[in-house]
Amino acid sequence: MNSRAGSFLWNFRQFSTLVPTSRTMRLYPLGFSRLKIVYSNWNPRNLLLSDFGNGVQSSIRYLFQDALIFKSGDNFQTKGIGTETVLTVDRLLCPRRLSFDSKHSLDPDDGLKKITFHQKASNEDVLTKETKPTPVNYKKLSQECSSLSDVLDTFSEGPVFPSSNYFSAMWIIAKRMSDDQKYVEKQLMFNHPAFNQLCEQVMRESKIMHYDHLLFSLHAMVKLGIPQNTLLVQTLLRVVQERINECDEKCLSVLSTVLEAMEPCKNVDVLRAGLRILVDQQVWKIERVFTLQAVIRCVGKDAPIALKRKLEMKALRELDRFSDLNSQHMFEALAAMNYRSIILLDECSKMVIGNIHGCPFKVLINILQSCRDLRYHNLDLFKGIADYVATTIDIWKLKQVLFLLILFENLGFRHTDLMDLFMKKVIADPASLNMKSIIRILHVYSSLNHFYKCQTSEFQEVMATSLTGYLRHISSENLLNAVCSFCLMNHFPMALINPLLQKDIINELLMSADERNAHKLRILAACLKLDISCHNAVDLAPPPLPSTALYPNVKVADALSSLLGEGYFSKNRQLPHNYHIDFEVRMDINRSQVLPFSDVVTSAADTQRVAVLCVPRSAYCLDLAHPRGFLAMKMRHLKVMGFHVILVRNWEVERLEMQDVVTLLKTKLYSAEAFLTADVNLQSTC
């Protein structure tokens, strides 16, 4: 009995030299020896591998998943292996567990029999009381604490592994706060004495904590506003790079979200490149649509086209599993990747239209912004969104509807019912609009060339009166923008125009580097001269347009030559007030006969000048039936200058055969009454 007790104490002394002094050992009565590290005096620094290795440095063989495996040395022998001695670090305290070679018996000398530990060990075998801290739960911590400082106070009282949960708890608490409160709490967090200790602790634990904990902590740091160029964030980025092969689908989703929220830098770019390689290898293994969309948003606009197509094919395969939310978020994901998949967008558009009721305002905005960025024009989708907003306009704020109208204007979409309803609301309550809102409303309605039956004049007067009240506060550029919008709508409030005609204001606008100011001053000068014959327009004197090489539509030119013959039309005509027309044809007053072209008009009373304009798609609204503001104003001014205007749509001409183009021009040039006569004349010239 004394011999067995002596052997036990000898072995205990041998093991005590391997375990750090702040840690003690407990023997488990499980039929084999299981030595468990117990933290009697908790110190966050004890989690460092360098500290742990002070006692077992010569015996550590390699890092493994479950346990510290000892390599046999001077004090270990392989003779008579009969028991397993495994020193295990608790999983909650050290997830990436260190391992030692097992299956080594302990002998005090060559002749000593092996020691066996029996299951009959009782509580009296416990050498010290276990004082291991309970692992922290970030959800529970976020419920118990009401501020970021409370979380840091809890950490300073007794740090518990993993420390990443403290950051996760702080981010959950911060999400519940208002912007002002969040700003104050962040300042208190940065100044808290335990904050630096927590940051150091996370850096020390970064290589041994679970990979998802590492990513969650990095995500929380980014969201909490910790500067990206700090040692803390950059260290975690490097560790995430080193351990990227541990990334499963859940980690892939979190990593994608983190990278999407971070600014480009060397470590972020390298990590994004590694993520692309990982996604390229594992894209077909992704099971959750949410993860797939997070990856699509993250890979970036400069991702290889092959990877983009692979992600597109994966998304098309998963279409049957798309929820309403998935279909709504697909627009934003594709825009982030800058990949216009017409098939995928069309299918998602159908789902959005079918479930449009109850769709949040923010989601509608994201869809329209994504369509603008992708240059994706779906009339059915836009009409479905506009119809929904028009039928529920009473629940929307004016600013929300205005934001939607601005996006519709960017897309060139004009929804008459929604714009009419909004005009009525503006007329009924103009006091609810500020200066910026008024300028934006004027831009939308003038750009889309929208007029509402009997209320257009009232709307224009209300807008002009409301804006006049801001004359003391409005900048010269904003005033010019507003006046230019009024000019496009053929309305001229002199109370707003006269301040712009002052020489110092004009010089200020022309001195700016923005060429658009000069363009708008030309529009104002033309409108003052042609629409209201204002003598002050002479004083405006905007700079002339720079000379540029203009190339008329070759197909239209050939068709006019075939229809009229050479010498009966002119190309590239430059007119007063900086206007240009593609072709000019001169006809009799009834537009039944084409006259030989001459720069000198002998009898203007008996001659009808015809301006042929070749216009692109962008000059029309999205329905391709309603001209936009600038084209409508140009047509108005050409009529004032005595022209009959004919519009030829470039995209239609490109699809037609030459004979069809000739027929189209003949129909547009000649009046309905003279069409038969023109047909006879055409046959006689052939």
Side-chain angles (χ1 to χ4, degrees):
M1 187 68 181
N2 292 335
S3 175
R4 294 185 62 185
S7 298
F8 174 83
L9 293 176
W10 187 93
N11 279 280
F12 172 72
R13 284 195 298 271
Q14 296 298 316
F15 269 99
S16 64
T17 62
L18 294 176
V19 181
T21 55
S22 60
R23 300 167 189 171
T24 56
M25 183 181 355
R26 180 174 181 177
L27 304 182
Y28 277 75
L30 298 179
F32 57 87
S33 158
R34 183 184 180 197
L35 305 178
K36 182 174 181 181
I37 295 177
V38 179
Y39 291 72
S40 57
N41 294 316
W42 174 256
N43 185 350
R45 298 182 182 273
N46 290 341
L47 285 172
L48 289 174
L49 291 177
S50 59
D51 292 337
F52 182 82
N54 288 339
V56 293
Q57 184 175 0
S58 62
S59 301
I60 292 182
R61 181 176 176 183
Y62 52 82
L63 291 175
F64 196 68
Q65 179 68 24
D66 279 60
L68 283 170
I69 304 176
F70 283 94
K71 180 180 178 182
S72 60
D74 295 337
N75 295 329
F76 297 88
Q77 71 178 44
T78 57
K79 266 175 132 180
I81 296 176
T83 60
E84 293 185 351
T85 306
V86 181
L87 181 61
T88 303
V89 181
D90 186 76
R91 185 175 184 84
L92 291 173
L93 294 177
C94 189
R96 299 183 76 203
R97 286 175 285 182
L98 305 172
S99 323
F100 294 91
D101 288 331
S102 57
K103 297 187 178 180
H104 290 293
S105 62
L106 302 177
D107 266 327
D109 51 56
D110 293 339
L112 188 63
K113 293 182 179 180
K114 63 183 180 180
I115 302 173
T116 304
F117 298 100
H118 300 281
Q119 295 184 2
K120 295 182 180 180
S122 62
N123 292 335
E124 296 177 355
D125 295 326
V126 178
L127 302 178
T128 57
K129 291 186 177 180
E130 180 175 327
T131 57
K132 182 185 68 177
T134 304
V136 61
N137 185 299
Y138 70 92
K139 292 182 179 179
K140 182 179 179 181
L141 188 60
S142 64
Q143 295 172 355
E144 294 174 350
C145 300
S146 58
S147 67
L148 309 186
S149 298
D150 290 346
V151 177
L152 292 173
D153 290 339
T154 304
F155 168 78
S156 61
E157 291 173 1
V160 179
F161 184 89
S163 54
S164 59
N165 285 338
Y166 292 101
F167 276 107
S168 299
M170 286 193 288
W171 169 232
I172 293 176
I173 295 172
K175 287 194 292 185
R176 301 195 295 253
M177 299 178 179
S178 63
D179 292 339
D180 294 337
Q181 186 181 4
K182 193 182 299 183
Y183 175 80
V184 174
E185 284 292 332
K186 286 181 181 179
Q187 298 304 313
L188 294 175
M189 176 189 72
F190 289 132
N191 295 326
H192 197 283
F195 180 71
N196 287 337
Q197 300 175 10
L198 177 59
C199 294
E200 293 175 0
Q201 184 71 9
V202 171
M203 285 192 290
R204 286 195 295 268
E205 296 176 1
S206 60
K207 291 192 176 183
I208 61 173
M209 68 173 65
H210 282 302
Y211 195 64
D212 57 346
H213 288 176
L214 177 64
L215 292 174
F216 279 125
S217 62
L218 181 59
H219 177 264
M221 292 172 194
V222 173
K223 292 297 184 180
L224 287 170
I226 297 177
Q228 187 172 315
N229 59 351
T230 56
L231 178 62
L232 171 65
V233 176
Q234 294 299 318
T235 299
L236 295 192
L237 285 172
R238 291 295 300 272
V239 176
V240 171
Q241 293 174 30
E242 296 170 2
R243 299 176 55 186
I244 195 170
N245 287 331
E246 300 177 35
C247 198
D248 57 11
E249 183 171 335
K250 177 182 177 182
C251 295
L252 192 64
S253 176
V254 180
L255 178 57
S256 301
T257 305
V258 171
L259 290 178
E260 185 185 2
M262 300 189 75
E263 296 294 329
C265 70
K266 185 176 181 180
N267 280 326
V268 170
D269 295 341
V270 171
L271 188 54
R272 193 185 300 274
L275 177 70
R276 289 174 181 170
I277 297 174
L278 191 66
V279 170
D280 188 64
Q281 296 172 348
Q282 300 184 5
V283 61
W284 306 116
K285 299 178 182 178
I286 297 176
E287 297 181 357
R288 298 175 65 237
V289 177
F290 178 82
T291 302
L292 177 63
Q293 291 180 333
V295 169
I296 292 175
R297 285 195 299 267
C298 176
V299 294
K301 298 180 179 180
D302 56 343
I305 189 65
L307 177 59
K308 292 182 179 181
R309 288 174 179 168
K310 189 177 289 188
L311 290 169
E312 176 194 16
M313 292 302 300
K314 175 63 176 178
L316 289 173
R317 286 188 181 184
E318 302 294 332
L319 266 177
D320 295 339
R321 298 175 52 216
F322 271 31
S323 65
D324 295 340
L325 197 60
N326 293 143
S327 61
Q328 294 166 2
H329 287 174
M330 200 69 232
F331 292 86
E332 187 179 2
L334 290 174
M337 192 172 63
N338 192 27
Y339 187 76
R340 181 174 57 184
S341 172
I342 300 298
I343 300 176
L344 191 55
L345 289 170
D346 286 346
E347 293 300 322
C348 290
S349 296
K350 294 176 184 177
M351 297 181 67
V352 170
I353 295 171
N355 300 277
I356 192 69
H357 293 282
C359 191
F361 171 76
K362 185 178 180 181
V363 173
L364 295 178
I365 293 297
N366 288 337
I367 291 175
L368 293 178
Q369 287 176 334
S370 301
C371 291
R372 177 197 62 194
D373 296 340
L374 292 170
R375 301 176 303 282
Y376 173 71
H377 301 115
N378 188 323
L379 273 173
D380 293 334
L381 174 64
F382 300 158
K383 188 176 183 300
I385 294 175
D387 286 342
Y388 167 63
V389 176
T391 55
T392 59
I393 195 168
D394 291 333
I395 69 173
W396 302 89
K397 297 178 181 179
L398 279 180
K399 290 183 178 180
Q400 291 177 319
V401 181
L402 175 58
F403 201 180
L404 287 170
L405 289 177
I406 291 172
L407 289 173
F408 281 141
E409 186 274 331
N410 292 337
L411 294 163
F413 177 69
R414 171 177 169 263
H415 192 273
T416 55
D417 293 342
L418 180 59
M419 297 187 76
D420 291 346
L421 288 171
F422 185 77
M423 187 182 289
K424 288 181 180 179
K425 284 189 167 290
V426 167
I427 294 173
D429 187 19
S432 61
L433 302 173
N434 57 26
M435 181 183 66
K436 290 184 178 180
S437 297
I438 295 172
I439 295 173
R440 289 170 180 170
I441 292 171
L442 291 172
H443 172 73
V444 169
Y445 278 78
S446 63
S447 175
L448 294 176
N449 188 30
H450 181 78
F451 299 94
Y452 177 54
K453 302 176 184 177
C454 58
Q455 289 192 324
T456 296
S457 298
E458 185 180 0
F459 169 74
Q460 292 171 346
E461 290 294 338
V462 167
M463 292 287 97
T465 303
S466 300
L467 194 59
T468 304
Y470 292 103
L471 273 178
R472 294 185 178 181
H473 310 285
I474 193 171
S475 66
S476 301
E477 289 191 0
N478 283 335
L479 182 59
L480 178 61
N481 293 335
V483 169
C484 186
S485 297
F486 278 120
C487 290
L488 293 178
M489 293 190 292
N490 199 19
H491 184 72
F492 306 97
M494 298 309 297
L496 298 173
I497 294 175
N498 287 330
L500 276 178
L501 300 180
Q502 299 176 14
K503 290 185 178 181
D504 57 338
I505 299 297
I506 295 174
N507 292 334
E508 177 188 345
L509 292 170
L510 294 177
M511 288 295 291
S512 67
D514 194 348
E515 175 60 27
R516 291 175 297 180
N517 289 341
H519 173 67
K520 291 171 184 176
L521 286 173
R522 295 187 197 104
I523 292 176
L524 176 59
C527 289
L528 293 179
K529 192 67 176 177
L530 297 173
D531 290 319
I532 61 176
S533 301
C534 179
H535 298 289
N536 291 337
V538 180
D539 301 332
L540 195 55
L545 279 172
S547 59
T548 55
L550 300 172
Y551 302 96
N553 192 303
V554 176
K555 206 169 187 178
V556 175
D558 293 342
L560 285 174
S561 298
S562 176
L563 177 64
L564 306 177
E566 295 296 335
Y568 283 87
F569 66 96
S570 177
K571 305 176 184 178
N572 289 334
R573 296 288 290 174
Q574 191 66 40
L575 304 177
H577 310 293
N578 297 299
Y579 280 124
H580 164 267
I581 58 177
D582 297 287
F583 304 95
E584 181 181 352
V585 179
R586 290 180 179 170
M587 308 180 73
D588 65 333
I589 197 66
N590 296 320
R591 289 174 43 226
S592 60
Q593 184 179 0
V594 178
L595 304 176
F597 192 87
S598 174
D599 289 335
V600 179
V601 181
T602 55
S603 178
D606 299 331
T607 304
Q608 175 63 66
R609 302 176 71 182
V610 179
V612 180
L613 304 180
C614 300
V615 293
R617 285 176 178 268
S618 58
Y620 284 88
C621 292
L622 200 56
D623 59 0
L624 302 178
H626 188 76
R628 299 192 68 167
F630 182 76
L631 178 59
M633 182 191 66
K634 183 177 181 178
M635 294 169 62
R636 184 176 78 236
H637 287 171
L638 289 175
K639 290 178 181 178
V640 172
M641 289 188 279
F643 283 91
H644 173 73
V645 181
I646 293 177
L647 300 179
V648 179
R649 300 177 177 182
N650 287 337
W651 67 95
E652 290 182 351
V653 170
E654 295 302 323
R655 295 198 303 260
L656 297 176
E657 298 293 335
M658 180 57 69
Q659 188 58 41
D660 296 329
V661 177
V662 172
T663 303
L664 175 66
L665 291 174
K666 182 176 66 173
T667 305
K668 289 179 175 291
L669 278 172
Y670 293 100
S671 62
E673 296 80 6
F675 186 80
L676 294 177
T677 306
D679 189 41
V680 173
N681 294 339
L682 178 61
Q683 292 177 2
S684 64
T685 58
C686 295

